[in-house]
Amino acid sequence: MALEKTFNAAEAESRIYADWETKGAFKAGANAQRDEHFSVMIPPPNVTGSLHMGHAFNNTLQDILVRWHRMQGFDTLWQPGQDHAGIATQMVVERELAATGQPGRRELGREAFTAKVWEQKQKSGGTIIDQLRRLGASCDWSRNAFTMSGAPGAPEGEEGNFHDAVIKVFVDMYNKGLIYRGKRLVNWDPHFETAISDLEVESTEVDGHMWHFKYPLAGGETYTYVEKDEDGNTLFEETRDYISIATTRPETMLGDGAVAVHPSDERYASIVGKLCEIPVGPKEQRRLIPIITDEYPDKNFGSGAVKITGAHDFNDYGVAKRNNIPLYALMDTQGRMRADGLPYDQAAARAQAIADGSEAAPEDATEINLVPDAYRGLDRFEARKRVVEDVTAEGLAVMTEATDPRLGRAAKKAPVEPGEGGEMRTEEENLVPLVEAKKIMQPFGDRSKVVIEPMLTDQWFVATDKIVQPAIDAVRSGEVTILPEQDRKVYFHWLENIEPWCISRQLWWGHQIPVWFDDEGNEYCAPTEAEAQAMAPGKTLRRDPDVLDTWFSSGLWPIGTLGWPEQTAELKKYFPTSVLVTGFDIIFFWVARMMMMQYAVVDQKPFDTVYVHALVRDEKGKKMSKSLGNVLDPLELIDDYGADAVRFTLTSMAAMGRDLKLSTQRIAGYRNFGTKLWNAHRFAEMNGVFDAMPAGMPQPTATLNKWIVGETARVREEVDAALGNFRFNDAANALYAFVWGKVCDWYVELSKPLLQDDAPEAEETRATMAWVLEQCLILLHPIMPFITEELWQTTAKRDELLALTDWPAYTTADLLDADADRELNWVIGLIESIRSARQQMHVPAGLKVPMLVTEMDEAAQGAWDRNEVMIKRLARVESLERSDSFPKGTVSIAAPGASFGLPLAGLIDIDAEKARLQKSLDKLGKEIGGLKGRLNNPKFAASAPEEVVAEAQANLAARQEEADQLQAALDRLAELG
């Protein structure tokens, strides 16, 4: 069947993919010819998610490795699946219910609501699978896994044992003391009313405020407050009856347990151990708290004194635990000030007794609600406003001049304004509360978009300190390799400073925690309610309503997808897996947890190698975001350019450890590469190359054919070496240079005379070209699977799919002919040098020019003689004459063993060319000077955004390269006179 003029990706891709699946090309073990296995676990996307550029990049790299190994004959499995994505999926369903006017989650009840979630899963769960198919992902879809398969209430078709595996692991770890329930500080989302992981928190810089307040010393005590400079000279001294603190969250003052200062802070040494008063709440119940020392406060930041609210700040929590300070919770699950617990007067009395030492600090202070009646039930931000107003009204705000630049206003001399009666106000009366206007990092829920609150709640935790060491040792010893090297540091830093892992979520969609409680609060952990009841005969039990964190179940992904705890054939064959390809942002959220969990559960590594890729950014290096409007949709790009062009672009830019700067122009360029490959096959077809495909390796005699066979062996070795070392960009760039440059440009052009029917080399050239183009398709297939499969099937009758064709093993030692390699590279180098000189000198493209040679050794003479026709035609050379020396106006062209020259006097206007080039060079010089000035300015380097600096550096490099080329051309002209 004759090739069409162009490759119609939109028509061909779905047809080709369907053919692959029908013929079982992606099944585990397809094309297996060796005992070695190669297995990859897909990082499971959210079941309700859709393909974004991160997915496209990640899955392209996985697919390249999988296709490459499958063609090499490895017993290969690419295990697909989806994550139930607790909070994300529950949010989707709740929004759907609201949008369609259906009852909400609480009105439906747990069982009916989870049934709705299963409906949503079945409706949209296949979306991302279909999108991965469009990308060309060669997963074994018959083994598609789901982290909630087999869970109670799962509908028909959702059978599996992943849920049972998760529950078994929880129970086993609980019984070993590795999982426990406790009250700790967690990230709390007031919208969803659940704990969330650090990964689900987005810290964003926002305009904020820092309020400065006075905490009066108990009993009216005073001390001398002295500020000194770094040399010990006194700058300021006064008598104070208070200690000053600053806070960005005044509503949390109600739960303060202490004020902390650094042990070396001499300003407060005389009042350490004394009590101070929290300046808010009913005066008669105003609490006193101790002034303590701790390493946490920075004496050079603010006043150096820090209020400690252990139940609402992660840093304060650490201080409180170290100093036995009670943790007073102030808010409910919706972020409102608590209205439960003891009446305020009783709570304040209890807290005061604890501060005085007359009552021991309780392990759980939940009962003690220190929210005054006036604030109970208020939203946290309304309470903040009220607290600030009340403290300020009482005169306990730190005051400053209205011109203080910390207020965020321009500093200027404030007038002494008249009072209400017309009398002039004093400077002191003209002071204002010190409320600094400053940027603060505020945590937001990545889905709810509300401010996250550190909350003290009862949660389930994994004792990570007891299971972390094998995961550290595995990477340190080299049992598991993490690439690139820089990401090992991230991995070690997190694991060596690990905190207990909060694994409970206050959701309904997920693996419900297998623990039941009796009326006395005793715990019964068992896989089923019947087994728990058997442990508590005669007792009424209630199940913990929480579900497990998604990362807990996905932490079991490598073994759970292979059928564990059953010792399946797949588990024995494909575990440990070979490679994990993942993004750097989940090294500790997923990679480290998989490492810990697999060692804890089966005492084996989950994978041999972790390849960590960087981010896909926009063409200016900015992170893609909807708010910036710079998001590129991979599905739209596939529609516009085809999957192969998108894949090749991502691969060519996948330099280890370096972010990608993606642009549609790059993708369009690689679509042109596909067109170039297609056109080479059309040229071959028109010249009868595919009429009689060779059965084996060609045995060429012509120098050109020997050369291209050797070049093919060379690029095969380069591609294998690059992919073996995860240098995806090197593999892509080597193939690009070979296919476009060596094959499509040089070999096709140089072969034209040899393909003439009367040429003695015609038959071997057709056979060689057929083999070379076949190798192009094989070597390109892992990166560009669609166009290569289409050309494979269309250009000849094949017994097998390209996807299941054996990968070549030939080497340069076998196929490279040193003499042919040297000669053809000499010819190509000479033609390129002539073309470059012509272009620099602006010689008209169609003009044939004479060429001179002053010396030529035997090897060069032989190369010229055997390739003269090709050189003259491709370099537009009219003749070659020997000369003792070059006349004035000749451009010299060097080649190994020869010295050529192009006499251009009279062909170009040398003076006009010099003037043109100098004008362009002068303009570039000014631009380069400006860019260097910016980059050498310390203020620019320190204050400009990273992407702006990077863009300026790239611009400078591009301008400098252009200037170097112009200067080289100018130097050539100078030789001409």
Side-chain angles (χ1 to χ4, degrees):
M1 184 174 69
L3 287 172
E4 299 291 337
K5 286 188 176 181
T6 58
F7 175 57
N8 185 346
E11 178 279 326
E13 288 174 357
S14 59
R15 168 173 49 78
I16 293 169
Y17 199 95
D19 192 39
W20 285 330
E21 287 206 272
T22 300
K23 294 176 179 175
F26 307 150
K27 290 273 191 179
N31 199 46
Q33 300 170 40
R34 53 211 291 183
D35 294 334
E36 299 160 277
H37 83 269
F38 182 80
S39 54
V40 175
M41 296 286 159
I42 198 170
N46 289 356
V47 69
T48 55
S50 59
L51 196 72
H52 55 62
M53 282 312 308
H55 288 136
F57 182 38
N58 178 275
N59 286 282
T60 293
L61 299 185
Q62 290 177 82
D63 195 41
I64 290 168
L65 293 174
V66 168
R67 287 178 182 268
W68 179 51
H69 280 88
R70 189 184 290 125
M71 294 171 79
Q72 287 180 307
F74 283 80
D75 187 339
T76 303
L77 166 66
W78 186 6
Q79 174 65 53
Q82 297 78 47
D83 192 285
H84 65 277
I87 194 168
T89 305
Q90 184 160 316
M91 178 186 73
V92 168
V93 176
E94 290 198 64
R95 283 181 178 171
E96 179 76 14
L97 293 173
T100 55
Q102 297 182 66
R105 172 166 64 98
R106 289 180 175 80
E107 291 80 7
L108 284 171
R110 185 169 193 144
E111 187 175 342
F113 176 75
T114 53
K116 290 284 187 184
V117 182
W118 277 112
E119 287 178 19
Q120 179 68 29
K121 187 269 177 187
Q122 294 190 304
K123 182 172 69 175
S124 64
T127 298
I128 199 161
I129 294 175
D130 292 338
Q131 292 170 340
L132 286 168
R133 284 185 167 104
R134 290 202 60 198
L135 185 69
S138 60
C139 303
D140 183 351
W141 297 112
S142 69
R143 293 186 49 81
N144 192 53
F146 182 49
T147 53
M148 282 282 284
S149 65
E156 185 178 351
E158 297 291 350
E159 297 84 1
N161 73 333
F162 207 104
H163 171 75
D164 294 342
V166 172
I167 297 303
K168 174 178 170 54
V169 168
F170 184 99
V171 173
D172 289 350
M173 293 182 73
Y174 176 93
N175 290 333
K176 292 175 181 176
L178 300 176
I179 289 178
Y180 63 91
R181 191 168 186 261
K183 192 181 289 289
R184 286 179 61 91
L185 209 58
V186 297
N187 294 307
W188 187 264
D189 189 314
H191 175 77
F192 290 114
E193 297 184 69
T194 181
I196 61 175
S197 72
D198 291 341
L199 184 64
E200 294 159 320
V201 177
E202 293 179 341
S203 292
T204 306
E205 188 177 67
V206 299
D207 291 324
H209 297 87
M210 180 174 279
W211 288 266
H212 292 251
F213 296 128
K214 299 176 180 179
Y215 279 42
L217 298 181
E221 283 205 45
T222 62
Y223 68 107
T224 302
Y225 177 84
V226 181
E227 285 276 3
K228 295 182 179 181
D229 63 18
E230 57 187 19
D231 296 323
N233 301 312
T234 299
L235 300 174
F236 172 75
E237 182 176 329
E238 72 173 0
T239 299
R240 287 185 175 177
D241 60 357
Y242 66 89
I243 185 169
S244 172
I245 65 94
T247 179
T248 59
R249 300 162 69 213
E251 69 280 9
T252 64
M253 294 165 61
L254 302 165
D256 287 352
V259 170
V261 297
H262 195 273
S264 66
D265 198 333
E266 297 177 357
R267 294 170 297 178
Y268 304 115
S270 63
I271 58 172
V272 169
K274 297 186 182 297
L275 300 176
C276 61
E277 182 181 280
I278 298 175
V280 65
K283 192 67 177 172
E284 59 275 14
Q285 280 115 19
R286 197 68 61 83
R287 287 195 301 121
L288 298 175
I289 56 175
I291 299 171
I292 65 170
T293 60
D294 192 89
E295 295 291 328
Y296 166 62
D298 180 355
K299 63 183 179 180
N300 297 314
F301 180 77
S303 68
V306 180
K307 58 185 281 305
I308 303 302
T309 318
H312 290 280
D313 182 274
F314 287 103
N315 291 315
D316 292 5
Y317 179 80
V319 177
K321 298 295 282 185
R322 286 193 295 272
N323 294 277
N324 198 31
I325 295 168
L327 306 173
Y328 298 121
L330 301 173
M331 297 176 201
D332 65 17
T333 59
Q334 293 182 317
R336 297 172 306 201
M337 307 309 287
R338 287 177 55 195
D340 62 341
L342 293 173
Y344 180 71
D345 56 349
Q346 295 179 34
R350 285 275 308 279
Q352 192 58 64
I354 293 167
D356 293 342
S358 58
E359 181 180 329
E363 188 173 329
D364 185 351
T366 305
E367 181 187 34
I368 303 174
N369 181 359
L370 293 176
V371 179
D373 294 337
Y375 306 137
R376 292 194 175 194
L378 292 180
D379 176 80
R380 53 187 164 155
F381 298 117
E382 177 60 26
R384 174 181 299 178
K385 178 182 175 184
R386 294 275 293 278
V387 167
V388 170
E389 290 173 349
D390 292 348
V391 174
T392 304
E394 197 170 328
L396 292 175
V398 174
M399 307 298 282
T400 188
E401 293 181 2
T403 55
D404 191 329
R406 291 177 294 175
L407 301 173
R409 298 189 289 268
K412 60 181 180 179
K413 180 67 177 176
V416 182
E417 299 172 356
E420 291 182 4
E423 71 281 6
M424 297 303 289
R425 295 169 63 186
T426 65
E427 288 279 358
E428 185 175 339
E429 291 172 326
N430 205 44
L431 297 178
V432 297
L434 175 53
V435 183
E436 289 186 64
K438 62 184 303 172
K439 298 285 186 182
I440 62 171
M441 294 303 293
Q442 189 130 62
F444 292 88
D446 65 344
R447 294 181 176 87
S448 67
K449 306 305 179 186
V450 302
V451 176
I452 297 304
E453 190 68 40
M455 289 275 277
L456 192 65
T457 58
D458 289 310
Q459 302 289 346
W460 289 94
F461 296 90
V462 172
T464 44
D465 59 322
K466 296 180 180 179
I467 65 171
V468 70
Q469 198 57 46
I472 295 173
D473 294 342
V475 177
R476 287 217 185 278
S477 69
E479 182 177 24
V480 175
T481 301
I482 295 179
L483 298 171
E485 179 73 22
Q486 67 206 45
D487 290 304
R488 285 164 48 95
K489 298 174 183 176
V490 176
Y491 176 86
F492 286 133
H493 177 76
W494 189 73
L495 287 181
E496 289 168 352
N497 297 277
I498 200 164
E499 294 285 336
W501 173 14
C502 176
I503 57 171
S504 48
R505 297 291 181 266
Q506 290 63 54
L507 302 169
W508 287 355
W509 175 239
H511 302 280
Q512 191 170 353
I513 288 172
V515 176
W516 285 259
F517 300 94
D518 61 21
D519 292 338
E520 288 79 42
N522 297 310
E523 300 171 2
Y524 304 91
C525 181
T528 64
E529 183 173 6
E531 291 172 88
Q533 192 66 66
M535 298 164 65
K539 294 190 176 184
T540 301
L541 300 182
R542 61 176 181 84
R543 188 172 185 176
D544 192 311
D546 291 354
V547 299
L548 285 166
D549 171 25
T550 296
W551 296 106
F552 185 87
S553 50
S554 62
L556 301 172
W557 189 244
I559 55 174
T561 54
L562 295 173
W564 185 90
E566 300 298 324
Q567 293 303 304
T568 64
E570 290 82 3
L571 185 65
K572 292 175 183 176
K573 182 188 292 186
Y574 298 117
F575 185 85
T577 64
S578 306
V579 179
L580 175 73
V581 179
T582 188
F584 75 91
D585 51 341
I586 56 173
I587 291 174
F588 42 83
F589 291 107
W590 189 43
V591 178
R593 285 169 178 166
M594 275 193 289
M595 289 282 283
M596 288 192 296
M597 293 295 278
Q598 257 63 210
Y599 278 111
V601 175
V602 295
D603 196 26
Q604 283 183 275
K605 63 182 178 182
F607 23 69
D608 297 326
T609 302
V610 180
Y611 174 77
V612 183
H613 62 73
L615 278 179
V616 183
R617 298 180 179 271
D618 73 6
E619 59 187 309
K620 294 184 178 179
K622 292 182 179 178
K623 189 173 181 179
M624 292 185 188
S625 74
K626 291 180 181 178
S627 60
L628 291 175
N630 64 346
V631 173
L632 293 176
D633 183 335
L635 298 171
E636 292 179 3
L637 295 174
I638 290 171
D639 286 339
D640 293 341
Y641 302 101
D644 291 316
V646 173
R647 289 170 60 111
F648 201 97
T649 305
L650 293 170
T651 309
S652 70
M653 302 176 73
M656 195 178 290
R658 191 186 308 158
D659 287 345
L660 287 76
K661 296 180 182 179
L662 190 63
S663 70
T664 54
Q665 290 90 342
R666 293 290 294 266
I667 301 170
Y670 288 117
R671 179 183 58 186
N672 295 341
F673 174 60
T675 301
K676 189 83 170 177
L677 177 70
W678 187 268
N679 288 340
H681 281 76
R682 290 190 70 232
F683 168 83
E685 183 182 61
M686 288 185 288
N687 283 274
V689 167
F690 305 124
D691 291 350
M693 293 291 288
M697 183 80 69
Q699 302 295 325
T701 58
T703 301
L704 175 64
N705 293 326
K706 288 180 180 179
W707 168 76
I708 196 62
V709 167
E711 288 293 337
T712 305
R714 180 177 279 140
V715 78
R716 198 282 303 163
E717 291 177 340
E718 288 178 14
V719 170
D720 277 2
L723 292 181
N725 289 289
F726 301 93
R727 292 185 281 104
F728 296 95
N729 61 313
D730 288 347
N733 294 332
L735 284 167
Y736 184 90
F738 171 71
V739 173
W740 188 305
K742 300 287 175 64
V743 177
C744 297
D745 278 353
W746 291 111
Y747 183 59
V748 167
E749 281 299 320
L750 295 172
S751 70
K752 287 177 180 178
L754 279 63
L755 287 169
Q756 301 302 312
D757 290 334
D758 58 350
E761 306 92 348
E763 185 177 342
E764 81 160 57
T765 301
R766 289 189 180 93
T768 302
M769 183 173 289
W771 180 83
V772 168
L773 290 175
E774 190 174 75
Q775 300 311 303
C776 289
L777 299 181
I778 294 171
L779 297 174
L780 276 170
H781 181 75
I783 305 176
M784 304 181 80
F786 290 107
I787 192 171
T788 53
E789 187 73 70
E790 181 79 338
L791 285 168
W792 180 266
Q793 298 292 343
T794 309
T795 53
K797 184 174 176 56
R798 310 281 187 176
D799 295 330
E800 73 288 313
L801 294 167
L802 176 56
L804 298 179
T805 295
D806 292 343
W807 190 261
Y810 47 72
T811 67
T812 50
D814 300 326
L815 302 184
L816 189 130
D817 183 300
D819 292 336
D821 185 66
R822 185 165 46 251
E823 179 172 315
L824 258 294
N825 285 325
W826 185 91
V827 170
I828 290 169
L830 176 59
I831 294 171
E832 287 179 333
S833 295
I834 297 170
R835 286 175 171 177
S836 175
R838 290 177 61 115
Q839 185 179 15
Q840 284 184 338
M841 298 299 100
H842 274 229
V843 176
L847 181 65
K848 286 192 173 185
V849 298
M851 192 160 73
L852 303 174
V853 60
T854 58
E855 57 181 289
M856 192 156 33
D857 64 18
E858 185 178 346
Q861 183 69 60
W864 174 272
D865 292 343
R866 286 186 291 272
N867 299 279
E868 181 177 4
V869 174
M870 291 187 291
I871 296 170
K872 286 182 175 179
R873 181 167 61 85
L874 295 177
R876 310 292 297 174
V877 171
E878 184 177 48
S879 60
L880 178 68
E881 294 182 13
R882 285 193 171 273
S883 175
D884 294 333
S885 61
F886 293 142
K888 187 177 182 181
T890 300
V891 175
S892 61
I893 295 171
S899 181
F900 297 99
L902 291 179
L904 299 182
L907 296 179
I908 60 172
D909 187 332
I910 295 174
D911 290 336
E913 279 299 303
K914 281 183 178 179
R916 182 186 66 80
L917 290 172
Q918 190 62 56
K919 183 178 180 181
S920 298
L921 203 54
D922 291 343
K923 182 181 178 183
L924 272 176
K926 290 179 182 179
E927 293 180 21
I928 289 170
L931 287 166
K932 283 183 175 178
R934 288 179 74 195
L935 289 167
N936 291 333
N937 184 340
K939 291 183 179 179
F940 174 74
S943 60
E946 184 179 339
E947 61 269 17
V948 173
V949 175
E951 185 177 359
Q953 291 170 334
N955 284 341
L956 176 61
R959 300 292 186 279
Q960 190 64 60
E961 183 180 359
E962 188 179 352
D964 291 343
Q965 291 172 351
L966 289 176
Q967 187 61 55
L970 202 57
D971 292 343
R972 276 189 184 273
L973 284 171
E975 296 174 13
L976 304 185

